[in-house]
Structure formats: structure tokens, C-alpha cells
């Protein structure tokens, strides 16, 4: 239960170190029940080795019991043997068989990242790829600037379910344009919007988000949402760029996560290494890029 999780990771006595912030962030989201109870099932398994090294894994399953997200905690002082044992437990046959294809994510923050990647790919086959083009940024303890003033004609507003199709299509186009998704892959431009629509619906209904509307236009012109842990899906309509909307969105969603919901951690974000505009934006707001050896996202397609 959420109460058990609070107690559990408080008792880790500092083992959730800076390079494991993403794992602790996931626990915080679980504590705040920022998941869709009907379509996102959370299971946490934790292990203690004879050497007192601590291991844990968070599984997020879909309504049809498919694993769509795995977040691992691995004690960096563990031995190779202990890591191999944990790998076999975390990626056992039952888990591999229920991975949510064509896309699933595995988050690893450990010096054992490459080893875990090799172990996973040996189990699922070489047709699945590690997404090397995304880096993780952690938010600062406090925002440098909290100003969220919008230009005249723009206003914050709630997103209706009718807008989700439009938002999913825009997100799909962004992913293809950035090279994260390829039109020639299984996750093509036809399949993507359907999957992204379901994810956006969960993000809007259960997690912090922020959307900006312009005058009487029915669809939002800019938005940012929160996934299972990191913020993402930042989008600004091309007609409304260079008006500071992205910066305002980043600040506002940060406020909602850290201040409004009382989570003691700032959010994380995954940003494509070729996305220079977002990199410049987040770094100017004080977000810090994490070393690649501590973070990996696996995207199978």
C-alpha cells in the first residue's frame, strides 16, 4: 500500500542516493496515488542480499496485465553475482512474456546500466533497441524564477477528453519528426496516436499537467504533462512559438508537482539529445543533465 512504501523507502537509510532519484520519484508518485487505478497496476518487489545490498523493482502494468514500465533500484556497491541474481528475478520469464509491445520502458540508474541492458536484450532479442538519444534531467531543489505570466490572449485552462485526439496526433508528429519514433517501425504514425491517446488520458486525469489556450480557440495551443515519474509531451503549436509558452509550462508543472502536491522532490524530464531548444530551455531553468552511465531508457519497437 502507499503507506507501506513511505515507511519502506524511509527505512533505506540514505541508500536512495542522488543517482537513484528517479526511483524515489516513482515511489513518491505512488504514495500520492497519481496513477489510474483501473488501468495502471503498481507492484513493488524488494530484495536484500546477504551482503546487505538493497535491490528493488517497480512494475507498472496495464489493465490487461501487460508490463509497460519497469524502474529498477540497484545498490552500486553490489557484487556482479548479486546483480546477476537480481537481473534474473527482475526480468524473469513471466515478466518478459507480459511486456507491453510495441513500446515499453525500463529505467535504470546504476553503474550496472550496460550489464542490465545486455541481460534484457539477451532475453527479448536483438530486434528491440535501446533508445540512446534521450538524456535525463533533474529539476533544481527550487525554481530559479516562478514567473508564469502569459501574453495577452493566452490563458491556462483544463483539457477536455475531446482535445486528447488532437494532442495525441501532435505528439506523434513530434516523435516522428525528432527521430524518436520511425514511420517505418512497428510504432508507425498510424499506431502511435492510439497508444499516445491512452497515455495522455491517464496523464490528464491522474497526474499534474498544464495547458494554454489562445482566445476562443477550442484546442490547447501548448501543453506539458506528467508520465509515471517524469514530465514530458511538451508541445507548442508552431503558430504560437517564441512567446515564452514552453518556459511558463515548465515552471507551472514544476509548481504543481513540488508545491501543490507536496512531493519532496522536483520532477525529472527525458529530453532528446538532438532537441537543442528543449535542452537550452530546461538548462536555463536550472535542470541538470544526468551522466549517461547512470540512466537508461529502453524503448522496444
Amino acid at each position: 500500500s502507499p503507506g507501506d512504501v513511505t515507511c519502506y523507502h524511509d527505512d533505506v537509510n540514505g541508500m536512495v542516493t542522488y543517482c537513484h532519484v528517479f526511483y524515489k520519484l516513482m515511489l513518491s508518485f505512488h504514495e500520492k496515488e497519481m496513477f489510474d487505478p483501473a488501468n495502471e497496476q503498481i507492484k513493488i518487489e524488494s530484495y536484500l542480499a546477504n551482503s546487505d545490498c538493497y535491490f528493488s523493482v517497480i512494475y507498472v502494468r496495464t489493465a490487461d496485465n501487460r508490463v509497460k514500465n519497469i524502474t529498477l533500484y540497484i545498490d552500486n556497491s553490489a557484487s556482479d553475482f548479486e546483480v546477476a541474481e537480481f537481473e534474473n528475478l527482475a526480468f524473469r520469464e513471466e515478466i518478459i512474456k507480459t511486456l507491453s509491445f510495441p513500446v515499453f520502458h525500463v529505467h535504470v540508474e546504476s553503474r550496472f546500466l550496460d550489464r542490465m541492458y545486455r541481460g534484457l536484450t539477451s532475453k527479448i532479442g536483438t530486434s528491440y533497441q535501446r533508445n540512446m538519444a534521450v538524456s535525463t534531467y533533474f529539476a533544481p531543489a527550487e525554481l530559479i524564477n516562478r514567473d508564469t505570466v502569459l501574453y495577452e490572449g493566452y490563458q491556462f485552462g483544463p483539457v477536455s477528453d475531446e482535445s486528447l485526439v488532437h494532442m495525441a496526433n501532435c505528439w506523434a508528429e513530434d516523435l516522428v519528426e525528432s527521430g524518436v519514433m520511425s514511420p517505418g517501425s512497428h510504432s508507425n504514425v498510424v499506431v502511435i496516436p492510439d497508444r499516445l491517446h491512452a497515455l495522455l488520458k491517464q496523464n490528464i486525469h491522474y497526474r499534474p499537467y498544464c495547458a494554454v489556450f489562445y482566445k476562443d480557440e477550442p484546442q490547447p495551443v501548448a501543453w506539458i504533462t506528467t508520465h509515471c515519474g517524469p514530465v514530458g509531451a511538451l508541445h507548442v503549436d508552431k503558430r504560437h512559438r517564441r512567446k515564452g509558452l514552453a518556459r511558463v509550462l515548465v515552471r507551472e508543472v514544476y509548481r504543481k508537482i513540488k508545491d501543490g502536491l507536496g512531493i519532496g522532490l522536483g520532477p525529472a524530464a527525458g529530453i532528446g539529445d538532438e532537441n537543442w531548444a528543449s535542452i537550452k530551455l530546461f538548462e536555463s531553468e536550472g535542470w541538470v543533465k544526468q551522466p549517461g552511465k547512470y540512466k537508461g531508457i529502453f524503448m522496444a519497437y
Side-chain angles (χ1 to χ4, degrees):
S1 70
D4 293 333
V5 176
T6 304
C7 177
Y8 205 26
H9 80 254
D10 282 348
D11 288 343
V12 174
N13 296 323
M15 294 179 70
V16 182
T17 59
Y18 182 72
C19 67
H20 288 82
V21 169
F22 196 93
Y23 175 86
K24 193 170 182 180
L25 183 64
M26 283 289 291
L27 288 182
S28 295
F29 271 60
H30 179 50
E31 291 168 15
K32 298 297 179 180
E33 299 181 346
M34 292 164 58
F35 292 92
D36 178 355
N39 297 296
E40 293 180 302
Q41 306 164 35
I42 312 299
K43 182 179 182 182
I44 303 174
E45 297 178 0
S46 298
Y47 306 91
L48 188 65
N50 291 333
S51 62
D52 288 334
C53 287
Y54 179 80
F55 303 85
S56 190
V57 56
I58 303 174
Y59 298 107
V60 181
R61 292 180 178 269
T62 60
D64 58 354
N65 206 35
R66 312 297 294 182
V67 177
K68 71 171 186 176
N69 191 299
I70 303 173
T71 301
L72 299 162
Y73 178 94
I74 303 173
D75 193 319
N76 279 329
S77 63
S79 67
D80 286 342
F81 174 78
E82 290 169 334
V83 173
E85 289 292 295
F86 177 62
E87 175 190 311
N88 289 331
L89 289 167
F91 299 141
R92 57 190 180 272
E93 185 178 3
E94 180 267 330
I95 298 297
I96 298 300
K97 285 183 176 180
T98 57
L99 289 174
S100 178
F101 295 106
V103 178
F104 65 92
H105 298 85
V106 178
H107 304 280
V108 187
E109 299 175 74
S110 167
R111 69 185 182 89
F112 296 102
L113 167 63
D114 290 334
R115 180 194 178 112
M116 298 302 287
Y117 170 64
R118 290 194 298 270
L120 178 59
T121 52
S122 69
K123 291 178 171 65
I124 64 177
T126 56
S127 60
Y128 303 99
Q129 304 172 19
R130 176 180 175 183
N131 183 357
M132 295 291 289
V134 176
S135 295
T136 297
Y137 289 72
F138 285 133
E142 292 293 337
L143 278 177
I144 297 174
N145 189 325
R146 288 174 174 263
D147 182 14
T148 57
V149 178
L150 295 168
Y151 277 84
E152 184 178 353
Y154 294 92
Q155 62 275 331
F156 296 115
V159 171
S160 66
D161 285 349
E162 289 72 23
S163 293
L164 293 178
V165 173
H166 166 72
M167 295 170 66
N169 287 330
C170 291
W171 191 8
E173 292 173 3
D174 289 345
L175 291 173
V176 173
E177 183 177 323
S178 65
V180 174
M181 295 287 191
S182 169
S185 69
H186 292 294
S187 295
N188 54 49
V189 291
V190 176
V191 175
I192 288 176
D194 293 337
R195 298 183 63 83
L196 297 185
H197 179 276
L199 177 56
L200 281 172
K201 186 173 183 179
Q202 292 170 341
N203 290 351
I204 297 300
H205 285 196
Y206 296 97
R207 296 184 269 273
Y209 76 93
C210 187
V212 173
F213 293 78
Y214 182 66
K215 293 186 176 178
D216 58 353
E217 292 187 19
Q219 303 291 2
V221 299
W223 58 82
I224 189 170
T225 71
T226 308
H227 305 310
C228 297
V231 300
L234 173 61
H235 176 85
V236 179
D237 187 291
K238 293 180 180 180
R239 300 170 299 142
H240 299 273
R241 293 178 183 175
R242 299 189 179 278
K243 299 184 185 300
L245 296 181
R247 188 176 300 277
V248 168
L249 289 171
V250 170
R251 292 175 181 175
E252 184 67 8
V253 80
Y254 177 106
R255 183 191 64 78
K256 287 186 175 184
I257 292 174
K258 192 166 189 297
D259 297 344
L261 295 173
I263 293 179
L265 295 165
I271 304 176
D273 292 343
E274 301 291 327
N275 190 348
W276 303 114
S278 287
I279 291 172
K280 183 178 179 180
L281 166 64
F282 278 81
E283 288 185 344
S284 70
E285 289 292 305
W287 295 55
V288 180
K289 180 180 179 180
Q290 302 307 294
K293 65 180 180 179
Y294 291 128
K295 175 66 185 175
I297 297 179
F298 302 87
M299 184 171 290
Y301 54 86

